Amino acid sequence: MQLLYPIIIINYKTYLETLGEKGLYLAKIAEKISLEYGVCIAIAPQFVDIRKIAEEVSIPIFAQHIDPYPPGAYTGHITPESIKEAGACGSLINHSERRLRIDVIEEIVSRCKNLDLKICICANNTLVAKALSVLEPEMIAVEPPELIGTGISVSKAKPEIIINSVNAIKTISPNVHVLCGAGITEGLDVKKAIEFGSEGILVASAIAKSKDPEKLLREFAIALTK
Ligand code: G3P
C-alpha cells in the first residue's frame, strides 16, 4: 500500500469506540473520505482487528507497536512478520504510551526495512526527534506528551516544536517525513501543522470520541488539501 504525503494517521489506541465492528466502521469512513478528497488516510487499529480491517478496506494500515524479535520462542511479543501477514504496511513505534529503548528502536527499524514495512517513530520532543532521524525511518511523528488527549493542539500551543523538529530532522535525513500530533481537534489545527512544515498529523481522541467522526475527518481532509 503506497503512502502519500501529506498524510493523516488515525491511532485507534485502546479506545472502546475503536474496537471490533466500531473500528471497522471507522476504517470505512477513513477510506471513503480518502477517496473523496484524494488524501492519504492511514489507520493504526487495535492488534486483534488488523486482519479483519485489512481484508475490508484499501487504505494503509499500521500496527501501534511491534517488538524486534524474530519468529520463534518469544511468547507474547508482536513480530514484524505477524503484522505484515495480517495486512499492515508498517507500524508506529515508541509512542509516548509505549516507549522503547533506542537500541530496540534501531533493531526494529532495521528489521522492518528488510521486510519492506514502513515505520513511524514517535518522539516526545525536538531533541529526541533529531536523534532518531539518523535511523532514517519512513516517518517521525513529534508529539509533546503533555498535550496528548487534551484537545489543546500542538500546532496552537507549541508550534515551535513542529518548526524546530522539521528543521532538525530534514537537515540530518531529508527523506524522513515529519509528522506531528497531540490534541489535534479541528481543521485549523491540521492547516497550521502543514503551514509549519509538517507532512501530516497523528490523531486519536478527537476522532475516537467524536459523535460524528465522518464530519470531523472530512474537516481534517479539507484542511490538508488547502
Ligand atoms: O498517536 C496520536 C496521539 O498520541 C495523539 O492523541 O488524543 O491527542 O489526538 P490525541
Side-chain angles (χ1 to χ4, degrees):
M1 185 73 54
Q2 213 201 339
L3 300 176
L4 298 171
Y5 298 90
I7 188 171
I8 295 172
I9 304 181
I10 306 170
N11 180 0
Y12 281 29
K13 300 197 175 180
T14 52
Y15 289 113
L16 274 180
E17 293 87 344
T18 65
L19 186 59
E21 286 304 317
K22 290 179 182 162
L24 178 59
Y25 174 69
L26 186 55
K28 288 185 174 168
I29 289 175
E31 182 181 47
K32 180 180 165 191
I33 302 289
S34 170
L35 289 170
E36 220 173 286
Y37 292 92
V39 161
C40 188
I41 304 179
I43 54 172
Q46 304 193 32
F47 282 116
V48 292
D49 294 322
I50 289 178
R51 177 181 300 280
K52 168 85 175 154
I53 292 176
E55 281 168 358
E56 300 214 23
V57 298
S58 292
I59 53 174
I61 296 177
F62 285 78
Q64 296 178 17
H65 162 83
I66 37 175
D67 297 302
Y69 304 108
Y74 299 96
T75 304
H77 291 275
I78 309 283
T79 62
E81 285 82 358
S82 70
I83 61 141
K84 184 170 181 173
E85 207 274 331
C89 67
S91 184
L92 310 177
I93 57 168
N94 197 45
H95 191 281
S96 281
E97 294 150 11
R98 193 69 164 86
R99 293 191 195 194
L100 296 167
R101 290 197 326 242
I102 192 158
D103 60 316
V104 174
I105 296 174
E106 190 277 327
E107 209 177 333
I108 294 173
V109 171
S110 146
R111 289 253 294 116
C112 286
K113 280 183 183 167
N114 291 332
L115 291 165
D116 199 24
L117 285 167
K118 310 287 186 197
I119 290 296
C120 174
I121 311 180
C122 299
N124 59 317
N125 62 34
T126 298
L127 206 54
V128 171
K130 184 178 175 184
L132 292 167
S133 64
V134 298
L135 301 177
E136 303 205 315
E138 171 75 13
M139 296 172 254
I140 292 180
V142 60
E143 297 197 319
E146 64 279 13
L147 295 179
I148 291 177
T150 61
I152 301 165
S153 73
V154 58
S155 33
K156 287 199 194 105
K158 298 211 164 164
E160 69 284 356
I161 203 174
I162 306 174
I163 298 165
N164 295 341
S165 297
V166 170
N167 287 340
I169 294 168
K170 293 288 182 182
T171 303
I172 295 169
S173 297
N175 294 331
V176 172
H177 298 280
V178 186
L179 274 56
C180 66
I184 302 280
T185 309
E186 56 172 1
L188 184 60
D189 298 326
V190 178
K191 188 168 175 279
K192 280 178 175 286
I194 301 300
E195 281 170 7
F196 295 136
S198 183
E199 293 167 273
I201 57 133
L202 199 48
V203 61
S205 53
I207 296 284
K209 297 282 183 186
S210 173
K211 287 200 173 68
D212 191 345
E214 181 169 343
K215 184 167 170 244
L216 186 57
L217 198 52
R218 179 170 281 114
E219 185 181 320
F220 287 177
I222 292 171
L224 208 65
T225 54
K226 279 192 176 160

